[in-house]
Amino acid sequence: MQNKAKFVQMIGEALHECATRTEVLKAEYVKNGYEEFTVITFTDGSQKHVCITADSCLAIMNDIYKALH
């Protein structure tokens, strides 16, 4: 089983440190029942919730990319 929480956290850290244009502060993995989300928090305090239910890590990365564009 993939560690989605760790993967999402690491993507958030990389975006914060290396892709300042995105203004991402952090990304967190949240599970609510059977649904899974990435919660992206921006430097201005706003958030974006991205559904990642049943995604592989590669699919999570793709969904985050699409949410930022």
Side-chain angles (χ1 to χ4, degrees), residues 4-69:
K4 292 181 182 183
K6 180 72 173 173
F7 185 76
V8 168
Q9 176 190 350
M10 291 173 69
I11 286 179
E13 290 171 1
L15 288 170
H16 178 70
E17 292 295 323
C18 302
T20 55
R21 183 177 61 103
T22 64
E23 298 185 8
V24 171
L25 180 62
K26 64 181 177 176
E28 298 172 286
Y29 171 82
V30 176
K31 187 166 185 173
N32 185 5
Y34 293 107
E35 295 186 19
E36 299 170 292
F37 298 92
T38 293
V39 179
I40 303 168
T41 304
F42 298 92
T43 54
D44 67 0
S46 65
Q47 293 184 324
K48 188 175 279 193
H49 295 186
V50 181
C51 181
I52 59 165
T53 302
D55 279 4
S56 66
C57 286
L58 186 58
I60 291 170
M61 189 167 51
N62 187 49
D63 287 342
I64 291 172
Y65 172 79
K66 288 189 290 187
L68 295 176
H69 283 90

